[in-house]
Coordinates of all heavy atoms in Angstrom, one line a residue:
M157 N 0.8 -1.2 0.0 CA 0.0 0.0 0.0 C 0.9 1.2 0.0 O 1.8 1.4 0.8 CB -0.9 0.0 1.2 CG -1.8 1.1 1.3 SD -2.6 1.1 2.9 CE -4.3 1.3 2.5
A158 N 0.6 2.2 -0.9 CA 1.4 3.4 -1.0 C 1.1 4.3 0.1 O -0.1 4.4 0.6 CB 1.1 4.1 -2.3
S159 N 2.1 5.0 0.7 CA 1.9 5.9 1.8 C 1.4 7.2 1.2 O 1.7 7.6 0.1 CB 3.2 6.1 2.5 OG 4.1 6.7 1.7
R160 N 0.6 7.9 2.0 CA 0.0 9.2 1.6 C 1.1 10.3 1.9 O 1.8 10.2 2.8 CB -1.2 9.5 2.4 CG -2.3 8.5 2.2 CD -3.4 8.8 3.1 NE -4.5 9.4 2.3 CZ -5.6 9.9 2.9 NH1 -5.8 9.8 4.2 NH2 -6.5 10.5 2.1
P161 N 1.1 11.3 1.0 CA 2.0 12.4 1.3 C 1.6 13.1 2.6 O 0.4 13.1 2.9 CB 1.9 13.3 0.1 CG 0.6 12.9 -0.6 CD 0.3 11.5 -0.2
P162 N 2.5 13.8 3.3 CA 2.1 14.5 4.5 C 1.2 15.6 4.2 O 1.2 16.2 3.1 CB 3.5 15.0 5.0 CG 4.4 15.0 3.9 CD 3.9 13.9 2.9
I163 N 0.3 15.9 5.1 CA -0.7 17.0 4.9 C 0.1 18.3 5.0 O 0.9 18.6 5.8 CB -1.7 16.9 6.0 CG1 -2.6 15.7 5.9 CG2 -2.6 18.2 6.0 CD1 -3.6 15.4 7.0
D164 N -0.2 19.2 4.0 CA 0.4 20.5 3.9 C -0.4 21.6 4.7 O -1.0 22.4 4.0 CB 0.6 20.9 2.5 CG 1.5 22.2 2.3 OD1 2.0 22.7 3.3 OD2 1.5 22.7 1.2
A165 N -0.5 21.4 6.0 CA -1.3 22.4 6.8 C -0.5 23.6 7.0 O 0.7 23.6 7.2 CB -1.7 21.7 8.1
R166 N -1.2 24.8 7.0 CA -0.6 26.1 7.2 C -1.5 26.9 8.0 O -2.7 26.9 7.9 CB -0.3 26.8 5.9 CG 0.6 26.0 4.9 CD 0.8 26.7 3.6 NE 1.5 25.9 2.7 CZ 1.9 26.2 1.5 NH1 1.5 27.5 1.0 NH2 2.5 25.4 0.7
E167 N -0.9 27.8 8.8 CA -1.7 28.7 9.6 C -1.7 30.0 8.7 O -0.7 30.6 8.5 CB -1.0 29.0 10.9 CG -1.9 29.7 11.9 CD -1.4 29.8 13.3 OE1 -1.7 28.8 14.0 OE2 -0.6 30.7 13.6
V168 N -2.9 30.3 8.3 CA -3.1 31.4 7.3 C -4.2 32.4 7.7 O -5.0 32.0 8.5 CB -3.3 30.9 5.9 CG1 -2.2 29.9 5.4 CG2 -4.7 30.1 5.8
T169 N -4.1 33.5 7.1 CA -5.2 34.5 7.2 C -5.9 34.7 5.8 O -7.0 35.3 5.8 CB -4.8 35.8 7.7 OG1 -3.7 36.3 6.9 CG2 -4.3 35.7 9.2
R170 N -5.3 34.2 4.8 CA -5.9 34.3 3.4 C -5.8 32.9 2.7 O -4.9 32.2 2.8 CB -5.0 35.2 2.5 CG -5.0 36.6 3.0 CD -4.1 37.5 2.1 NE -4.0 38.9 2.5 CZ -4.8 39.8 2.1 NH1 -5.7 39.5 1.2 NH2 -4.8 41.0 2.5
F171 N -6.9 32.6 2.0 CA -7.0 31.4 1.2 C -8.1 31.5 0.2 O -8.9 32.3 0.3 CB -7.1 30.1 2.1 CG -8.4 30.0 2.9 CD1 -9.4 29.3 2.3 CD2 -8.6 30.6 4.1 CE1 -10.6 29.1 3.0 CE2 -9.8 30.5 4.8 CZ -10.8 29.8 4.2
E172 N -8.0 30.6 -0.8 CA -9.1 30.4 -1.8 C -9.8 29.2 -1.5 O -9.3 28.2 -1.0 CB -8.5 30.4 -3.2 CG -7.9 31.7 -3.6 CD -7.5 31.6 -5.1 OE1 -7.3 30.5 -5.7 OE2 -7.3 32.7 -5.7
A173 N -11.1 29.2 -1.9 CA -12.0 28.1 -1.6 C -13.1 28.0 -2.7 O -13.4 29.0 -3.3 CB -12.7 28.2 -0.2
L174 N -13.6 26.8 -2.9 CA -14.7 26.5 -3.7 C -15.9 26.5 -2.8 O -15.9 25.7 -1.8 CB -14.6 25.2 -4.5 CG -13.4 25.2 -5.4 CD1 -13.3 23.8 -6.1 CD2 -13.4 26.3 -6.4
V175 N -17.0 27.2 -3.0 CA -18.1 27.2 -2.1 C -19.4 27.0 -2.9 O -19.5 27.3 -4.1 CB -18.2 28.6 -1.3 CG1 -17.0 28.7 -0.4 CG2 -18.3 29.8 -2.2
T176 N -20.4 26.5 -2.1 CA -21.7 26.2 -2.7 C -22.7 26.6 -1.6 O -22.5 26.3 -0.4 CB -21.9 24.7 -3.0 OG1 -20.9 24.3 -3.9 CG2 -23.3 24.4 -3.5
A177 N -23.8 27.3 -2.0 CA -24.8 27.7 -1.0 C -25.4 26.4 -0.4 O -25.6 25.4 -1.1 CB -25.9 28.5 -1.7
T178 N -25.6 26.5 0.9 CA -26.1 25.3 1.6 C -27.5 25.0 1.2 O -27.8 23.8 1.0 CB -26.1 25.6 3.2 OG1 -24.8 25.9 3.5 CG2 -26.5 24.3 3.9
D179 N -28.3 26.0 1.0 CA -29.7 25.8 0.5 C -29.7 26.2 -1.0 O -29.6 27.4 -1.3 CB -30.6 26.7 1.3 CG -32.1 26.5 0.9 OD1 -32.4 25.9 -0.1 OD2 -32.9 27.1 1.7
A180 N -29.9 25.2 -1.9 CA -29.9 25.5 -3.3 C -30.9 26.5 -3.7 O -30.7 27.3 -4.7 CB -30.1 24.2 -4.1
D181 N -32.0 26.6 -3.0 CA -33.1 27.6 -3.3 C -32.7 29.0 -3.0 O -33.3 29.9 -3.4 CB -34.4 27.2 -2.5 CG -35.0 25.9 -3.0 OD1 -34.8 25.5 -4.1 OD2 -35.8 25.3 -2.2
R182 N -31.6 29.1 -2.2 CA -31.1 30.5 -1.8 C -29.8 30.8 -2.5 O -29.1 31.7 -2.1 CB -31.0 30.6 -0.3 CG -32.4 30.4 0.4 CD -32.3 30.6 1.8 NE -32.1 32.1 2.1 CZ -31.9 32.5 3.4 NH1 -31.8 31.7 4.4 NH2 -31.7 33.8 3.6
A183 N -29.4 30.1 -3.5 CA -28.1 30.3 -4.2 C -28.0 31.7 -4.7 O -27.0 32.3 -4.6 CB -27.9 29.2 -5.3
A184 N -29.1 32.2 -5.4 CA -29.0 33.5 -6.0 C -28.8 34.6 -4.9 O -28.1 35.5 -5.0 CB -30.3 33.8 -6.8
E185 N -29.5 34.4 -3.7 CA -29.4 35.3 -2.6 C -27.9 35.2 -2.1 O -27.3 36.3 -1.7 CB -30.4 34.9 -1.5 CG -30.3 35.8 -0.3 CD -31.3 35.4 0.8 OE1 -32.0 34.4 0.6 OE2 -31.2 36.0 1.9
F186 N -27.4 34.0 -1.9 CA -26.0 33.9 -1.5 C -25.0 34.6 -2.4 O -24.2 35.4 -2.0 CB -25.6 32.4 -1.4 CG -24.2 32.2 -1.2 CD1 -23.6 32.4 0.0 CD2 -23.4 31.7 -2.2 CE1 -22.2 32.3 0.2 CE2 -22.0 31.6 -2.0 CZ -21.4 31.8 -0.8
L187 N -25.2 34.4 -3.7 CA -24.3 35.1 -4.7 C -24.5 36.6 -4.6 O -23.5 37.3 -4.8 CB -24.5 34.5 -6.1 CG -24.1 33.1 -6.3 CD1 -24.6 32.6 -7.7 CD2 -22.6 32.9 -6.1
G188 N -25.7 37.1 -4.4 CA -25.9 38.5 -4.3 C -25.2 39.1 -3.1 O -24.8 40.3 -3.1
R189 N -25.1 38.3 -2.1 CA -24.5 38.8 -0.9 C -23.0 38.5 -0.8 O -22.2 39.2 -0.1 CB -25.2 38.1 0.3 CG -24.6 38.4 1.6 CD -25.6 39.0 2.6 NE -25.0 39.4 3.8 CZ -25.4 39.0 5.0 NH1 -26.4 38.3 5.1 NH2 -24.7 39.4 6.0
C190 N -22.5 37.4 -1.4 CA -21.1 37.0 -1.4 C -20.3 37.8 -2.4 O -19.9 37.3 -3.5 CB -21.0 35.5 -1.6 SG -19.3 34.9 -1.5
V191 N -20.1 39.1 -2.1 CA -19.3 39.9 -3.0 C -18.1 40.5 -2.3 O -18.0 40.4 -1.1 CB -20.2 41.1 -3.5 CG1 -21.4 40.6 -4.3 CG2 -20.7 41.9 -2.3
P192 N -17.1 40.9 -3.1 CA -15.9 41.5 -2.4 C -16.3 42.6 -1.4 O -17.1 43.4 -1.7 CB -15.1 42.1 -3.6 CG -15.5 41.2 -4.8 CD -17.0 40.9 -4.6
G193 N -15.7 42.4 -0.2 CA -16.0 43.3 0.9 C -17.0 42.8 1.8 O -17.2 43.4 2.9
S194 N -17.8 41.8 1.5 CA -18.8 41.3 2.3 C -18.2 40.5 3.5 O -17.2 39.8 3.4 CB -19.8 40.4 1.6 OG -19.2 39.3 1.0
A195 N -18.9 40.6 4.7 CA -18.4 39.9 5.9 C -19.2 38.7 6.2 O -20.4 38.7 6.0 CB -18.4 40.9 7.0
W196 N -18.5 37.7 6.6 CA -19.1 36.4 7.0 C -18.4 35.8 8.2 O -17.4 36.3 8.6 CB -18.9 35.4 5.9 CG -19.6 35.8 4.6 CD1 -19.1 36.7 3.7 CD2 -20.8 35.3 4.1 NE1 -20.0 36.8 2.6 CE2 -21.1 36.0 2.9 CE3 -21.8 34.4 4.5 CZ2 -22.2 35.8 2.1 CZ3 -22.9 34.2 3.8 CH2 -23.1 34.9 2.6
M197 N -19.0 34.8 8.8 CA -18.3 34.1 9.9 C -17.9 32.8 9.2 O -18.7 32.1 8.5 CB -19.2 33.8 11.1 CG -19.6 35.1 11.8 SD -18.2 36.0 12.5 CE -17.5 34.9 13.6
A198 N -16.7 32.4 9.4 CA -16.2 31.1 8.9 C -16.0 30.1 10.0 O -15.3 30.4 11.0 CB -14.8 31.3 8.2
S199 N -16.7 29.0 9.9 CA -16.6 27.9 10.9 C -15.6 26.9 10.3 O -15.9 26.2 9.4 CB -18.0 27.3 11.1 OG -17.9 26.2 12.0
I200 N -14.4 27.0 10.9 CA -13.3 26.1 10.5 C -12.9 25.2 11.6 O -12.3 25.8 12.6 CB -12.1 27.0 10.0 CG1 -12.6 27.9 8.9 CG2 -11.0 26.1 9.5 CD1 -11.5 29.0 8.5
R201 N -13.1 24.0 11.5 CA -12.9 23.0 12.6 C -13.6 23.5 13.8 O -14.9 23.6 13.8 CB -11.4 22.8 12.9 CG -10.7 22.1 11.8 CD -9.3 21.7 12.3 NE -8.6 20.9 11.3 CZ -7.7 21.4 10.4 NH1 -7.4 22.7 10.5 NH2 -7.1 20.6 9.6
T202 N -12.9 23.9 14.9 CA -13.6 24.4 16.1 C -13.6 25.9 16.2 O -14.1 26.5 17.2 CB -13.0 23.8 17.4 OG1 -11.6 24.1 17.4 CG2 -13.1 22.3 17.4
A203 N -13.0 26.6 15.2 CA -12.8 28.0 15.3 C -14.0 28.7 14.5 O -14.5 28.2 13.5 CB -11.5 28.4 14.6
L204 N -14.4 29.8 15.1 CA -15.4 30.6 14.4 C -14.7 32.0 14.2 O -14.5 32.7 15.2 CB -16.7 30.8 15.3 CG -17.9 31.4 14.6 CD1 -18.3 30.6 13.4 CD2 -19.1 31.4 15.6
V205 N -14.4 32.3 13.0 CA -13.6 33.5 12.7 C -14.3 34.4 11.7 O -14.9 33.9 10.8 CB -12.2 33.0 12.1 CG1 -11.3 34.1 11.8 CG2 -11.5 32.0 13.0
E206 N -14.1 35.7 11.9 CA -14.6 36.7 10.9 C -13.9 36.5 9.6 O -12.6 36.4 9.6 CB -14.5 38.1 11.4 CG -15.4 38.4 12.6 CD -15.2 39.8 13.1 OE1 -14.7 40.7 12.3 OE2 -15.6 40.1 14.2
A207 N -14.6 36.5 8.5 CA -14.0 36.4 7.2 C -14.6 37.4 6.2 O -15.8 37.7 6.2 CB -14.3 35.0 6.6
T208 N -13.7 38.0 5.4 CA -14.1 39.0 4.4 C -13.8 38.4 3.1 O -12.7 37.9 2.8 CB -13.3 40.3 4.6 OG1 -13.6 40.8 6.0 CG2 -13.8 41.4 3.6
V209 N -14.8 38.5 2.2 CA -14.6 38.1 0.8 C -13.7 39.1 0.1 O -14.1 40.3 0.1 CB -15.9 37.9 0.1 CG1 -15.7 37.6 -1.4 CG2 -16.7 36.8 0.7
T210 N -12.6 38.8 -0.5 CA -11.7 39.7 -1.2 C -11.9 39.6 -2.7 O -11.6 40.5 -3.4 CB -10.2 39.5 -0.8 OG1 -9.8 38.2 -1.1 CG2 -10.0 39.8 0.7
A211 N -12.4 38.4 -3.2 CA -12.6 38.2 -4.6 C -13.6 37.1 -4.8 O -13.6 36.2 -3.9 CB -11.3 38.0 -5.3
R212 N -14.3 37.1 -5.9 CA -15.2 35.9 -6.2 C -15.1 35.8 -7.7 O -15.2 36.7 -8.5 CB -16.6 36.1 -5.8 CG -17.4 34.9 -6.1 CD -18.9 35.1 -5.7 NE -19.6 35.4 -6.9 CZ -20.7 36.2 -6.9 NH1 -21.2 36.7 -5.8 NH2 -21.3 36.5 -8.1
N213 N -14.8 34.5 -8.2 CA -14.7 34.3 -9.6 C -15.4 33.0 -9.9 O -15.4 32.0 -9.2 CB -13.2 34.1 -10.0 CG -12.4 35.3 -9.7 OD1 -12.6 36.4 -10.3 ND2 -11.5 35.3 -8.8
P214 N -16.1 33.0 -11.1 CA -16.7 31.7 -11.6 C -15.6 30.7 -11.7 O -14.5 31.0 -12.0 CB -17.3 32.1 -12.9 CG -17.3 33.6 -13.0 CD -16.2 34.1 -12.1
L215 N -16.1 29.4 -11.6 CA -15.2 28.3 -11.8 C -15.4 27.7 -13.2 O -16.3 26.9 -13.4 CB -15.4 27.3 -10.7 CG -14.5 26.0 -10.7 CD1 -13.0 26.4 -10.5 CD2 -14.9 25.1 -9.6
G216 N -14.6 28.1 -14.1 CA -14.7 27.6 -15.5 C -16.1 27.7 -16.0 O -16.7 28.8 -16.0
T217 N -16.7 26.6 -16.5 CA -18.0 26.7 -17.1 C -19.1 26.3 -16.1 O -20.3 26.3 -16.5 CB -18.1 25.7 -18.3 OG1 -17.8 24.4 -17.8 CG2 -17.1 26.0 -19.4
F218 N -18.8 26.1 -14.8 CA -19.8 25.8 -13.8 C -20.7 27.0 -13.6 O -20.2 28.2 -13.5 CB -19.2 25.4 -12.5 CG -18.6 24.0 -12.4 CD1 -17.3 23.8 -12.7 CD2 -19.4 23.0 -12.1 CE1 -16.7 22.6 -12.7 CE2 -18.9 21.7 -12.1 CZ -17.5 21.5 -12.4
D219 N -22.0 26.8 -13.5 CA -22.9 27.9 -13.1 C -22.5 28.3 -11.6 O -22.4 27.4 -10.8 CB -24.3 27.4 -13.2 CG -25.4 28.4 -12.8 OD1 -25.0 29.4 -12.2 OD2 -26.5 28.2 -13.2
E220 N -22.4 29.6 -11.4 CA -22.0 30.0 -10.0 C -23.1 29.6 -9.0 O -22.7 29.5 -7.8 CB -21.8 31.5 -10.0 CG -20.4 31.9 -10.4 CD -20.1 33.3 -10.0 OE1 -20.7 34.3 -10.6 OE2 -19.2 33.5 -9.2
K221 N -24.3 29.3 -9.4 CA -25.3 28.9 -8.4 C -24.9 27.5 -7.9 O -25.4 27.1 -6.9 CB -26.7 28.9 -9.0 CG -27.2 30.3 -9.2 CD -28.6 30.3 -9.8 CE -29.1 31.7 -10.0 NZ -30.4 31.7 -10.7
T222 N -24.1 26.8 -8.7 CA -23.7 25.4 -8.3 C -22.4 25.5 -7.5 O -22.3 24.8 -6.4 CB -23.4 24.5 -9.6 OG1 -24.6 24.5 -10.3 CG2 -23.0 23.1 -9.2
C223 N -21.4 26.3 -7.9 CA -20.2 26.3 -7.3 C -19.4 27.6 -7.7 O -19.5 27.9 -8.9 CB -19.3 25.1 -7.6 SG -17.8 25.0 -6.8
T224 N -18.8 28.3 -6.8 CA -18.0 29.5 -7.2 C -16.7 29.5 -6.4 O -16.6 28.8 -5.4 CB -18.8 30.8 -7.0 OG1 -18.1 31.9 -7.6 CG2 -19.0 31.1 -5.5
C225 N -15.7 30.2 -6.8 CA -14.5 30.3 -6.1 C -14.4 31.7 -5.4 O -14.7 32.7 -6.0 CB -13.3 30.2 -7.2 SG -11.7 30.3 -6.4
V226 N -14.0 31.6 -4.1 CA -13.9 32.9 -3.4 C -12.5 33.0 -2.7 O -11.9 31.9 -2.4 CB -15.0 33.0 -2.3 CG1 -16.3 33.2 -2.8 CG2 -14.9 31.9 -1.3
S227 N -12.0 34.2 -2.6 CA -10.8 34.4 -1.8 C -11.3 35.0 -0.5 O -12.1 36.0 -0.5 CB -9.9 35.4 -2.6 OG -9.5 34.8 -3.8
L228 N -10.7 34.5 0.6 CA -11.1 35.0 1.9 C -10.0 35.6 2.7 O -8.9 35.0 2.6 CB -11.8 33.9 2.7 CG -13.1 33.3 2.1 CD1 -13.4 32.0 2.8 CD2 -14.2 34.3 2.2
L229 N -10.3 36.6 3.5 CA -9.3 37.1 4.4 C -9.9 36.9 5.8 O -11.0 37.4 6.1 CB -9.1 38.6 4.2 CG -8.3 39.4 5.2 CD1 -6.9 38.9 5.2 CD2 -8.3 40.9 4.9
L230 N -9.2 36.2 6.7 CA -9.6 35.9 8.0 C -9.1 36.9 9.0 O -8.0 37.5 8.8 CB -9.2 34.5 8.5 CG -9.6 33.3 7.6 CD1 -9.0 32.0 8.1 CD2 -11.1 33.2 7.5
S231 N -9.9 37.2 10.1 CA -9.5 38.1 11.1 C -8.3 37.6 12.0 O -7.6 38.4 12.6 CB -10.7 38.5 12.0 OG -11.2 37.4 12.6
L232 N -8.2 36.3 12.0 CA -7.1 35.6 12.8 C -6.5 34.5 12.0 O -7.3 33.9 11.2 CB -7.7 35.1 14.1 CG -8.3 36.1 15.1 CD1 -9.1 35.3 16.2 CD2 -7.3 36.9 15.7
P233 N -5.3 34.2 12.3 CA -4.7 33.0 11.6 C -5.4 31.7 12.1 O -5.6 31.5 13.3 CB -3.2 33.0 12.0 CG -3.0 34.3 12.6 CD -4.3 34.9 13.1
V234 N -5.6 30.8 11.1 CA -6.2 29.5 11.4 C -5.5 28.4 10.7 O -5.2 28.6 9.5 CB -7.7 29.5 11.0 CG1 -8.3 28.1 11.3 CG2 -8.5 30.5 11.8
P235 N -5.2 27.3 11.3 CA -4.5 26.2 10.5 C -5.5 25.5 9.6 O -6.5 25.1 10.0 CB -4.0 25.3 11.6 CG -4.8 25.6 12.8 CD -5.3 27.0 12.7
I236 N -5.1 25.5 8.3 CA -5.9 24.8 7.3 C -5.0 24.1 6.4 O -3.8 24.3 6.3 CB -6.9 25.8 6.6 CG1 -6.0 26.8 5.8 CG2 -7.9 26.5 7.5 CD1 -6.9 27.7 4.9
E237 N -5.6 23.2 5.5 CA -4.9 22.6 4.5 C -5.8 22.4 3.3 O -7.1 22.4 3.4 CB -4.4 21.2 5.0 CG -5.4 20.2 5.2 CD -6.0 20.2 6.6 OE1 -5.5 20.9 7.5 OE2 -7.0 19.5 6.8
P238 N -5.3 22.2 2.1 CA -6.1 22.0 0.9 C -7.0 20.8 1.2 O -6.6 19.8 1.7 CB -5.1 21.7 -0.2 CG -3.8 22.4 0.3 CD -3.8 22.2 1.8
G239 N -8.3 20.9 0.7 CA -9.3 19.9 0.9 C -10.1 20.0 2.2 O -11.1 19.3 2.3
L240 N -9.7 20.8 3.1 CA -10.4 21.0 4.4 C -11.8 21.6 4.1 O -11.9 22.6 3.3 CB -9.6 21.9 5.3 CG -10.3 22.2 6.6 CD1 -10.3 21.0 7.5 CD2 -9.7 23.4 7.3
R241 N -12.8 21.0 4.7 CA -14.2 21.6 4.5 C -14.4 22.5 5.6 O -14.0 22.4 6.8 CB -15.2 20.4 4.5 CG -15.0 19.5 3.3 CD -16.1 18.5 3.3 NE -16.0 17.6 2.1 CZ -16.3 18.0 0.9 NH1 -16.8 19.1 0.6 NH2 -16.2 17.1 -0.1
F242 N -15.2 23.6 5.3 CA -15.6 24.6 6.3 C -16.9 25.2 5.9 O -17.5 24.8 4.9 CB -14.5 25.7 6.4 CG -14.4 26.5 5.1 CD1 -15.1 27.8 5.1 CD2 -13.7 26.1 4.0 CE1 -15.0 28.5 3.9 CE2 -13.7 26.9 2.9 CZ -14.3 28.1 2.8
R243 N -17.4 26.1 6.7 CA -18.7 26.7 6.4 C -18.7 28.2 6.6 O -18.0 28.7 7.5 CB -19.7 26.1 7.5 CG -21.2 26.5 7.2 CD -22.1 25.7 8.1 NE -23.4 26.4 8.0 CZ -24.3 26.3 8.9 NH1 -24.1 25.6 10.0 NH2 -25.4 27.0 8.8
L244 N -19.3 28.9 5.7 CA -19.5 30.4 5.7 C -20.9 30.6 6.2 O -21.8 30.0 5.7 CB -19.3 31.0 4.4 CG -17.9 31.1 3.8 CD1 -17.9 31.8 2.5 CD2 -17.0 31.9 4.8
I245 N -21.0 31.5 7.2 CA -22.3 31.8 7.8 C -22.6 33.3 7.7 O -21.7 34.1 8.2 CB -22.4 31.3 9.2 CG1 -22.0 29.8 9.3 CG2 -23.8 31.6 9.8 CD1 -21.6 29.4 10.7
A246 N -23.7 33.7 7.2 CA -24.1 35.2 7.2 C -24.5 35.6 8.6 O -24.8 34.7 9.4 CB -25.2 35.4 6.2
D247 N -24.6 36.9 8.8 CA -25.0 37.4 10.1 C -26.5 37.5 10.2 O -27.0 38.3 10.9 CB -24.3 38.8 10.3 CG -24.7 39.8 9.3 OD1 -25.5 39.5 8.4 OD2 -24.2 40.9 9.4
D248 N -27.2 36.6 9.5 CA -28.7 36.6 9.6 C -29.2 35.5 10.5 O -30.3 35.0 10.3 CB -29.3 36.5 8.2 CG -29.0 35.2 7.5 OD1 -28.2 34.4 8.1 OD2 -29.5 34.9 6.4
G249 N -28.4 35.1 11.5 CA -28.8 34.1 12.4 C -28.6 32.7 11.8 O -29.1 31.7 12.2
G250 N -27.7 32.6 10.8 CA -27.3 31.3 10.3 C -28.3 30.8 9.2 O -28.1 29.6 8.7
Q251 N -29.2 31.6 8.8 CA -30.2 31.1 7.7 C -29.5 31.1 6.4 O -29.9 30.2 5.5 CB -31.4 32.1 7.7 CG -32.2 32.1 9.0 CD -32.7 30.7 9.4 OE1 -33.3 30.0 8.6 NE2 -32.5 30.3 10.6
L252 N -28.6 31.9 6.1 CA -27.9 32.0 4.8 C -26.5 31.5 5.0 O -25.7 32.1 5.8 CB -27.9 33.4 4.2 CG -27.3 33.5 2.8 CD1 -28.0 32.6 1.8 CD2 -27.3 34.9 2.4
S253 N -26.1 30.4 4.4 CA -24.8 29.8 4.6 C -24.3 29.1 3.4 O -25.1 28.9 2.4 CB -24.7 28.9 5.8 OG -25.6 27.8 5.6
A254 N -23.0 28.8 3.4 CA -22.4 28.0 2.3 C -21.4 27.0 2.8 O -20.8 27.3 3.9 CB -21.8 28.9 1.3
S255 N -21.3 25.9 2.2 CA -20.2 25.0 2.5 C -19.1 25.2 1.5 O -19.3 25.6 0.4 CB -20.7 23.5 2.5 OG -21.2 23.2 1.2
G256 N -17.9 25.0 2.0 CA -16.7 25.2 1.2 C -15.6 24.2 1.4 O -15.6 23.5 2.4
V257 N -14.7 24.2 0.4 CA -13.5 23.3 0.5 C -12.3 24.2 0.1 O -12.4 24.9 -0.9 CB -13.6 22.1 -0.3 CG1 -13.8 22.4 -1.8 CG2 -12.5 21.1 -0.1
V258 N -11.2 24.1 0.9 CA -10.0 24.9 0.7 C -9.4 24.4 -0.6 O -9.1 23.2 -0.8 CB -9.1 24.8 1.8 CG1 -7.8 25.6 1.6 CG2 -9.7 25.3 3.1
R259 N -9.0 25.3 -1.5 CA -8.3 25.0 -2.8 C -6.9 24.7 -2.5 O -6.3 25.2 -1.5 CB -8.4 26.1 -3.7 CG -9.8 26.3 -4.3 CD -9.9 27.3 -5.4 NE -9.3 26.6 -6.6 CZ -9.2 27.2 -7.8 NH1 -9.6 28.4 -8.0 NH2 -8.6 26.5 -8.8
P260 N -6.2 23.9 -3.4 CA -4.8 23.7 -3.2 C -4.0 25.0 -3.2 O -4.4 26.0 -3.8 CB -4.4 22.9 -4.5 CG -5.7 22.2 -4.9 CD -6.8 23.2 -4.5
W261 N -2.9 25.0 -2.5 CA -2.1 26.2 -2.4 C -1.5 26.6 -3.8 O -1.2 25.8 -4.6 CB -0.9 26.0 -1.5 CG -1.2 25.5 -0.1 CD1 -0.7 24.4 0.5 CD2 -2.1 26.1 0.8 NE1 -1.3 24.2 1.7 CE2 -2.1 25.3 2.0 CE3 -2.9 27.2 0.8 CZ2 -2.9 25.6 3.1 CZ3 -3.7 27.5 1.9 CH2 -3.6 26.7 3.0
G262 N -1.5 27.9 -4.1 CA -1.0 28.5 -5.3 C -1.7 28.2 -6.5 O -1.2 28.3 -7.6
V263 N -3.0 27.9 -6.4 CA -3.8 27.6 -7.6 C -4.6 28.8 -8.0 O -5.1 29.5 -7.2 CB -4.7 26.4 -7.4 CG1 -5.7 26.2 -8.6 CG2 -3.9 25.1 -7.2

């Protein structure tokens, strides 16, 4: 059995991720709100950290209502690695949220 490469975890304040609205019926609302400068709470492992969207870009030919790429700036450093799943939560009591996965470094 081949061994797995070591996990490339880093403590960062900036990263890129692929995100999808948790509730598909609210995808348009999520995209309308998930714009550069917008503030969210990021639930990463056991941390709940303020996150600001610095950029959002479509992912190739995918409809953004299905999946979009965001760049995030965190208020505090958090250890993450490519492939880590996390959640973005709006300040509306958690009704508007998205699930995400950290993109590989340098992509």
Side-chain angles (χ1 to χ4, degrees):
M157 179 188 230
S159 64
R160 298 174 104 185
I163 295 174
D164 187 10
R166 301 177 186 183
E167 193 167 272
V168 300
T169 56
R170 295 176 180 270
F171 66 96
E172 288 188 342
L174 302 177
V175 296
T176 302
T178 305
D179 181 350
D181 292 336
R182 296 184 74 186
E185 181 182 358
F186 169 73
L187 291 172
R189 175 125 184 231
C190 184
V191 296
S194 63
W196 298 78
M197 292 304 294
S199 177
I200 304 171
R201 291 192 177 96
T202 59
L204 193 58
V205 181
E206 292 179 21
T208 302
V209 174
T210 59
R212 186 182 94 211
N213 297 297
L215 182 63
T217 60
F218 284 94
D219 182 343
E220 277 196 291
K221 289 182 182 176
T222 301
C223 183
T224 192
C225 181
V226 295
S227 297
L228 296 169
L229 172 64
L230 302 178
S231 60
L232 298 168
V234 175
I236 61 172
E237 69 272 350
L240 178 71
R241 294 188 179 281
F242 68 97
R243 188 170 164 205
L244 286 179
I245 306 161
D247 61 2
D248 65 353
Q251 298 299 312
L252 184 60
S253 64
S255 59
V257 64
V258 176
R259 291 191 71 178
W261 305 124
V263 172

